[in-house]
Amino acid sequence: MPLYSSLGDRARLCLKKKKKTPRASGQNSNNVHLCHAASCGNSALSHELFLGGFPNVTSVDYSSVVVAAMQARYAHVPQLRWKTMDARQLDFPSASFDVVLEKGTLDALLAGECDPWTVSSEGVCTVDQVLSEVSRVLVPGGRFISMTSAAPHFRTRHYAQACYGWSLRHATYGSGFHFHLYLMHKGGELSVAQLALGAQILSPPRPPTSPCFLQDSDHEDFLSAIQL
């Protein structure tokens, strides 16, 4: 089974409860407005979600070439919408979507980091811009689903910022090599432990410890101590 189909199945499971929840604006409870945000690329996930019963899917990518290609590929599904946008500055009004979903976009944004344990200030800022926009376009009670290969010790600290105004849950998917799903609920609260993890990303990295070398005395006569 293709990876996108497996992740699409998992995404649909995550969205089941949301689909039954009436939208804050009072629209039909089955009319979930979903944004495949940040970088949809040439993934079939948007179409998979449409086939899974989510008719209102808007997909975003930074590349106009990719967007044009996807529009052509799925021209037979006019309900799918494709937009060229920068995920750091989404051109949507606030509270536009019930669900925002990203798959591997944050991984790509952090791919140039030299050390995943100590993300550069530029990397932290870029991820914060994206997550701030995600939070902004979500309706109260909305969901943000992030699908990634990044384990919690690398990624939780990015999501666990009180300013986004959401709670955070984590689950794994797959056998052997696991994929990770993070589910954020707009209007929920982070735990004390999660907030503590989030605070770590705002702290300056600790300097590496100096290597410890054995100190030899220049005045000790090692040769005379050798018993032949």
Side-chain angles (χ1 to χ4, degrees):
M1 179 181 291
L3 172 59
Y4 59 76
S5 296
S6 300
L7 291 177
D9 291 341
R10 186 63 178 180
R12 286 194 290 272
L13 289 174
C14 291
L15 289 168
K16 268 189 175 181
K17 286 186 178 180
K18 183 59 186 173
K19 196 171 182 181
K20 297 176 182 177
T21 304
R23 196 165 189 247
S25 60
Q27 295 185 14
N28 186 287
S29 60
N30 289 329
N31 194 23
V32 175
H33 289 247
L34 189 150
C35 180
H36 184 187
S39 180
C40 62
N42 60 1
S43 167
L45 180 57
S46 296
H47 188 231
E48 290 283 324
L49 290 168
F50 174 79
L51 295 177
F54 298 93
N56 297 297
V57 180
T58 300
S59 303
V60 171
D61 197 278
Y62 184 78
S63 170
S64 59
V65 174
V66 168
V67 168
M70 297 301 280
Q71 287 173 328
R73 179 183 299 178
Y74 294 107
H76 62 290
V77 190
Q79 297 94 327
L80 292 177
R81 294 176 293 276
W82 308 90
K83 303 288 186 181
T84 303
M85 288 186 195
D86 186 339
R88 298 168 297 180
Q89 191 173 4
L90 295 172
D91 190 22
F92 295 120
S94 298
S96 295
F97 295 98
D98 299 284
V99 178
V100 176
L101 182 149
E102 75 89 15
K103 179 174 70 70
T105 301
L106 298 182
D107 296 343
L109 292 174
L110 295 173
E113 292 294 318
C114 297
D115 179 7
W117 293 97
T118 308
V119 179
S120 67
S121 57
E122 292 81 5
V124 171
C125 180
T126 298
V127 172
D128 175 64
Q129 289 176 313
V130 173
L131 297 181
S132 294
E133 281 294 272
V134 169
S135 177
R136 181 183 66 80
V137 301
L138 277 175
V139 300
R143 305 293 201 275
F144 171 41
I145 300 172
S146 179
M147 298 185 287
T148 172
S149 58
H153 46 269
F154 293 126
R155 193 53 57 81
T156 296
R157 51 189 172 168
H158 289 280
Y159 303 125
Q161 302 297 325
C163 59
Y164 303 141
W166 56 40
S167 60
L168 170 62
R169 289 167 46 204
H170 167 258
T172 57
Y173 180 71
S175 57
F177 183 83
H178 287 113
F179 291 91
H180 299 269
L181 289 94
Y182 299 87
L183 177 62
M184 279 62 75
H185 180 193
K186 184 74 177 289
E189 294 183 356
L190 297 167
S191 68
V192 173
Q194 289 170 338
L195 288 169
L197 285 174
Q200 292 178 9
I201 206 166
L202 304 176
S203 303
R206 290 175 296 178
T209 56
S210 301
C212 180
F213 298 102
L214 294 176
Q215 300 298 320
D216 297 331
S217 172
D218 293 335
H219 304 291
E220 188 169 353
D221 187 356
F222 291 99
L223 291 178
S224 63
I226 297 176
Q227 301 293 326
L228 297 178

